[in-house]
Amino acid sequence: MRHRRIAAGGLALGVVLLTDVLRVWLPGIITIFGQAASTPAELMGAFALGWFVLALATPALIRRVGARRVTLVAAVLLAVLRLALTASPGGRPQLWLATAGLLAGLVWLAGAAAATDQPVPGLALGLALGAAGHAVLDTYDLVWRGDVLAWLVSAVLVLLFLATQAVRSGPPGPGGARAWLLAGPALLLAGMLALSPAVARTASSYLWGEDGVAVSPVFGLAPVPFAVAGFLLAALAPLPRRVGRLLGPVVLLTGVVLFALDRGRLLLPALLLAAVGLGFCLSTAARASDGPVAGGTATSARVSGGPGTDGTTTSDRAARRAYAATGGLLVFAVAAVAYYSAYDLGYPHSWVPVTVAGLVAAVVVTAPPDGRPVPVPLPAVRTTAVVAALALLGPLGGADEGPLDDNRGEPRPELTVVAYNIRMGFGLDGRLDLPGLERAVGPRTPDVVVLSEVDRGWLLNGGHDTLDLLADRLGLPYVFAPAADTLWGDAVLTRWPVSAPRTRPLSAVGAPTGAQALAVTLDLGEGLRVAVVSTHLQPPPGQGPVVQAREVAAFATGYAAGRPLVVAGDLNTQPGDPAFGELTRAGLVDALAAARPLATSPADDPREQIDHVFVTPDLAATGAVAPPSTASDHLPVAVTLTLPRGR
């Protein structure tokens, strides 16, 4: 039992390290390999899938060299490359380090599968520890922090992982392939929904908001310990197999279908149901046999390498498990590419997570009965209590900014507005650059920050809640509105009390990515109220966003109802273009006119004036600038507005 506990702990730590690498590698496909959407989506997909296909050769390598040698070499490479990523300067070196780390992780997992017939305790613990750790870190990974504490924690994780790999475990039993097949789908569903701290906080923020928008919650990570506890208890202390065989798939599919409905207020029940359902599915698959194996013959084959009653040798069964693990990870890659490519190619994609959950359900429901008792090497209740307590440190580590009505400042005659397309928080070097974003925005002490391309938990971008992380740094509460989906859209950050938030979806007009307009009213005191609209126009291929600009102008002026109005964001149109004219014809004024030309894109060589601030004529604009920064592929624009009195 001691060796099995060490093996489960080693598998868990390896899953944590592999997840860390994935959180760097996945966004690198977009920000570094994709070169700000200049690389065709098909080529990016081929690059992503190619490494998972290459990993399918691992079982053959294991047959030739042996599982232990392959696993140890891959484990060392995974550990070294994980540490190297923390020191990476970004750019192509970061991409190739992450790619090498990914391949090492895939090979290591296949080797671990060949030598392990009971993967679920370790897999479940690894997924739960990864979620708990991400919550403690407030979704800001150790890899991106790079400080002394981050290096110390990373080194401890790596050393513990290598120590567990050096311990020899007993010979594996005959089963496990069915459970290993679920490793990839479980990694996808856990990272996309079930065990994502960023999704948990976004779900909480929708519960605090109204009319389809989300606002800063207090203790937004509170659902994470419940999700982690439900998942681990279901995985380690399973129901009777007949019950779990049906209950797990039903609960999992219900949660994933709620997620696919793309409604903010359904996110929290979707997350909790998916976590519990995924745990039940893993535990049920772990107790399924891969074929009829008699107890005595199985034991004999386990030791001697000879054939069992199903005619397979120990080597055959090891290869079967390795192929199951690599095949499941290929499902992860195909599903991730299929899901997120939809935002570039414009096809319906809600079927992807539902299909993956259906695959998990099919594996569980069709599992043959297994008469062997399967001891779980980890104490279910104690393990769950420890990991859930770790996850609890996230919400207890500090509350968010809290309700917007508690953030009133002293009335001022001026309002400083910053508009910034933050590209999900990733700089031109491909690193998550929260300090750079803060430096670009913070020195001007803005009253209002309007953000475009805000990511709140996409697995493709590493599962970070970029909005909340930046809001914490700036000390500003936020209002968020979904555009592409419930986790990606636009935001307004402000220290002033906010009322009457509204969001208006904009016509797609052939553009694959969704767009919206978010309107809020700021109460500046002494009876002065200002309407602010945040939007990110998405033009159809080869055209300008004329239709969307017309819709935004009508929505914004109607919402303001004669009050002072600010419309800002990445509008993907330049002065003199037809879409630009739609906004000026609505009576709005270019607040950046005095500083023209004021190019904002691309950030390292600005040539296009596509980020704008429009205002009503009663707001006088001064001091317009586009400060240099490489924290995004756009530059921010900032302007000071003088307010009318007595409005």
Side-chain angles (χ1 to χ4, degrees):
M1 183 62 74
R2 173 177 171 272
H3 290 303
R4 286 193 174 274
R5 288 187 176 182
I6 293 175
L11 181 55
L13 290 170
V15 169
V16 171
L17 295 182
L18 178 57
T19 303
D20 280 352
V21 172
L22 278 168
R23 289 195 180 117
V24 178
W25 183 76
L26 285 169
I29 297 172
I30 303 297
T31 59
I32 302 173
F33 186 83
Q35 297 179 348
S38 63
T39 302
E42 296 84 352
L43 183 57
M44 290 191 290
F47 175 82
L49 292 175
W51 304 104
F52 288 83
V53 173
L54 183 60
L56 291 175
T58 305
L61 180 65
I62 289 172
R63 281 183 180 273
R64 180 178 294 272
V65 179
R68 180 163 177 79
R69 289 182 181 178
V70 171
T71 306
L72 285 176
V73 171
V76 171
L77 288 174
L78 173 60
V80 170
L81 290 165
R82 163 60 185 84
L83 287 177
L85 281 174
T86 304
S88 169
R92 293 202 172 272
Q94 174 184 296
L95 176 63
W96 290 114
L97 282 173
T99 301
L102 170 71
L103 188 57
L106 298 178
V107 173
W108 165 79
L109 198 64
T116 306
D117 64 324
Q118 291 187 36
V120 166
L123 282 174
L125 181 59
L127 293 173
L129 281 174
H134 215 215
V136 171
L137 294 170
D138 202 20
T139 77
Y140 186 26
D141 299 317
L142 293 172
V143 171
W144 305 121
R145 291 173 182 259
D147 54 21
V148 174
L149 182 60
W151 274 103
L152 180 61
V153 175
S154 298
V156 170
L157 288 174
V158 162
L159 290 175
L160 287 174
F161 169 65
L162 292 178
T164 61
Q165 301 305 296
V167 176
R168 286 183 176 272
S169 59
R178 188 174 292 267
W180 274 111
L181 182 61
L182 296 187
L187 187 62
L188 179 86
L189 294 174
M192 183 179 286
L193 171 63
L195 296 176
S196 169
V199 174
R201 179 156 49 207
T202 306
S204 299
S205 67
Y206 276 109
L207 296 181
W208 283 76
E210 58 180 317
D211 294 324
V213 305
V215 301
S216 301
V218 176
F219 299 117
L221 292 174
V224 177
F226 295 97
V228 167
F231 170 75
L232 268 184
L233 278 177
L236 301 182
L239 293 173
R241 186 172 177 278
R242 290 186 178 180
V243 178
R245 186 175 180 177
L246 179 62
L247 182 61
V250 169
V251 174
L252 175 64
L253 281 168
T254 301
V256 175
V257 168
L258 290 178
F259 174 69
L261 292 176
D262 203 24
R263 298 290 185 271
R265 289 186 174 271
L266 297 180
L267 266 183
L268 185 56
L271 178 140
L272 296 175
L273 288 171
V276 174
L278 185 61
F280 279 136
C281 286
L282 287 177
S283 72
T284 305
R287 291 178 294 139
S289 95
D290 298 323
V293 180
T297 307
T299 304
S300 173
R302 178 184 306 182
V303 176
S304 67
T309 58
D310 59 354
T312 61
T313 65
T314 301
S315 177
D316 293 332
R317 290 188 289 273
R320 179 186 297 173
R321 287 191 294 267
Y323 275 120
T326 53
L329 289 166
L330 184 60
V331 171
F332 168 92
V334 170
V337 168
Y339 185 80
Y340 291 109
S341 292
Y343 293 106
D344 291 318
L345 303 179
Y347 55 81
H349 69 324
S350 59
W351 56 270
V352 175
V354 176
T355 300
V356 174
L359 173 63
V360 172
V363 170
V364 171
V365 170
T366 60
D370 185 0
R372 296 181 297 118
V374 180
V376 177
L378 300 174
V381 176
R382 278 185 291 167
T383 302
T384 299
V386 170
V387 180
L390 175 63
L392 188 61
L393 295 178
L396 291 181
D400 294 289
E401 284 299 320
L404 293 166
D405 290 342
D406 292 341
N407 290 274
R408 184 186 301 274
E410 292 298 324
R412 291 195 334 192
E414 293 181 338
L415 195 70
T416 302
V417 177
V418 174
Y420 201 1
N421 180 326
I422 61 171
R423 194 171 76 149
M424 294 79 68
F426 288 89
L428 291 180
D429 59 0
R431 293 182 66 83
L432 186 67
D433 194 2
L434 296 174
L437 294 176
E438 183 183 8
R439 288 192 298 269
V441 175
R444 286 159 184 80
T445 315
D447 298 283
V448 180
V449 180
V450 174
L451 299 181
S452 304
E453 291 194 13
V454 174
D455 173 32
R456 305 207 59 194
W458 271 11
L459 176 62
L460 179 67
N461 294 323
H464 316 103
D465 187 352
T466 310
L467 173 59
D468 197 89
L469 289 169
L470 182 57
D472 283 347
R473 285 176 169 268
L474 297 174
L476 297 173
Y478 58 80
V479 179
F480 170 80
D485 63 14
T486 53
L487 303 177
W488 195 94
D490 311 300
V492 175
L493 288 69
T494 179
R495 68 184 181 90
W496 297 99
V498 168
S499 61
R502 299 287 185 273
T503 179
R504 155 93 186 259
L506 303 179
S507 301
V509 292
T513 304
Q516 66 82 49
L518 166 64
V520 299
T521 297
L522 308 185
D523 180 2
L524 305 183
E526 298 181 357
L528 180 59
R529 294 177 179 270
V530 174
V532 176
V533 174
S534 170
T535 191
H536 180 194
L537 304 186
Q538 298 285 339
Q543 303 178 44
V546 177
V547 173
Q548 291 182 349
R550 187 181 304 129
E551 292 175 347
V552 168
F555 169 69
T557 54
Y559 174 86
R563 295 190 301 273
L565 169 64
V566 179
V567 178
D570 176 3
L571 305 186
N572 276 308
T573 185
Q574 301 201 67
D577 289 350
F580 193 94
E582 291 291 337
L583 293 161
T584 57
R585 274 192 291 275
L588 299 177
V589 177
D590 177 12
L592 311 180
R596 299 287 183 198
L598 196 63
T600 58
S601 177
D604 55 347
D605 183 21
R607 298 183 301 274
E608 297 181 312
Q609 304 181 72
I610 58 176
D611 298 274
H612 303 286
V613 178
F614 286 92
V615 298
T616 45
D618 53 357
L619 294 173
T622 57
V625 292
S629 173
T630 58
S632 171
D633 59 345
H634 287 238
L635 298 180
V637 291
V639 65
T640 299
L641 306 175
T642 301
L643 305 171
R645 308 306 296 173
R647 293 292 297 273

Coordinates of all heavy atoms in Angstrom, one line a residue, residues 5 32 42 89 169 177 189 216 347 395 422 549 555 572 637:
R5 N 0.7 4.4 -2.6 CA 0.5 5.8 -2.2 C 1.5 6.7 -2.8 O 1.2 7.8 -3.3 CB 0.5 5.9 -0.7 CG -0.8 5.3 -0.1 CD -0.8 5.6 1.4 NE -2.1 5.1 2.0 CZ -2.4 5.3 3.3 NH1 -1.6 5.9 4.1 NH2 -3.6 4.8 3.7
I32 N 2.2 33.5 -29.9 CA 3.6 33.4 -30.4 C 3.6 32.7 -31.8 O 3.9 33.3 -32.8 CB 4.5 32.7 -29.5 CG1 4.6 33.4 -28.1 CG2 5.9 32.6 -30.1 CD1 5.4 32.6 -27.0
E42 N -6.0 27.0 -39.5 CA -5.7 25.6 -39.8 C -4.3 25.2 -39.5 O -4.0 24.1 -39.0 CB -6.0 25.3 -41.3 CG -7.4 25.5 -41.7 CD -7.8 27.0 -42.0 OE1 -6.9 27.9 -41.7 OE2 -8.9 27.3 -42.4
P89 N 12.5 34.1 -21.4 CA 12.3 35.5 -21.7 C 11.0 35.8 -22.5 O 10.7 36.9 -22.9 CB 13.5 36.0 -22.4 CG 13.9 34.7 -23.1 CD 13.6 33.6 -22.2
S169 N 7.7 0.8 -7.9 CA 6.4 0.3 -7.4 C 6.3 -1.2 -7.7 O 7.1 -1.7 -8.5 CB 5.3 1.1 -8.0 OG 5.3 1.0 -9.4
A177 N -6.8 0.2 -18.5 CA -6.8 0.9 -19.8 C -8.0 1.8 -20.0 O -7.9 2.9 -20.5 CB -6.7 -0.1 -20.9
L189 N -12.2 18.6 -19.5 CA -13.4 19.0 -18.8 C -13.1 19.7 -17.5 O -13.8 20.7 -17.1 CB -14.3 17.8 -18.6 CG -14.9 17.2 -19.9 CD1 -15.7 16.0 -19.5 CD2 -15.8 18.2 -20.6
S216 N -18.0 42.7 -9.8 CA -17.0 42.2 -8.9 C -17.7 41.5 -7.7 O -18.5 42.2 -7.0 CB -16.1 43.4 -8.3 OG -15.4 44.0 -9.4
Y347 N -18.0 28.5 -36.6 CA -19.0 27.5 -36.7 C -19.5 27.2 -35.2 O -18.8 27.5 -34.3 CB -18.4 26.2 -37.3 CG -17.2 25.7 -36.6 CD1 -17.2 24.9 -35.4 CD2 -15.9 25.9 -37.1 CE1 -16.1 24.5 -34.8 CE2 -14.8 25.5 -36.5 CZ -14.8 24.7 -35.4 OH -13.7 24.3 -34.8
P395 N -10.3 31.7 -1.5 CA -11.2 32.7 -1.1 C -10.9 33.4 0.2 O -11.3 34.6 0.4 CB -12.6 31.9 -1.0 CG -12.2 30.5 -1.0 CD -10.9 30.4 -1.7
I422 N -6.5 44.5 -24.3 CA -5.5 43.9 -23.5 C -5.1 42.5 -24.0 O -4.2 41.8 -23.4 CB -5.8 43.8 -22.0 CG1 -7.1 42.9 -21.8 CG2 -6.0 45.1 -21.4 CD1 -7.4 42.6 -20.3
A549 N -21.2 49.5 -35.8 CA -21.0 50.9 -35.4 C -22.3 51.7 -35.3 O -22.6 52.4 -34.4 CB -20.0 51.6 -36.3
F555 N -27.7 52.5 -29.8 CA -27.9 51.9 -28.4 C -27.3 52.9 -27.4 O -27.9 53.2 -26.4 CB -27.1 50.6 -28.3 CG -27.0 50.1 -26.9 CD1 -28.1 49.6 -26.2 CD2 -25.7 50.0 -26.3 CE1 -27.9 49.2 -24.9 CE2 -25.6 49.6 -25.0 CZ -26.7 49.1 -24.3
N572 N -11.9 49.0 -34.4 CA -11.5 48.4 -35.7 C -11.9 49.3 -36.9 O -12.2 48.8 -37.9 CB -12.0 47.0 -35.8 CG -11.1 45.9 -35.2 OD1 -9.9 45.9 -35.4 ND2 -11.7 45.2 -34.3
V637 N -5.2 54.1 -25.1 CA -5.4 55.5 -25.3 C -6.0 56.1 -24.0 O -6.8 55.4 -23.3 CB -6.4 55.8 -26.5 CG1 -5.7 55.4 -27.8 CG2 -7.7 55.0 -26.3

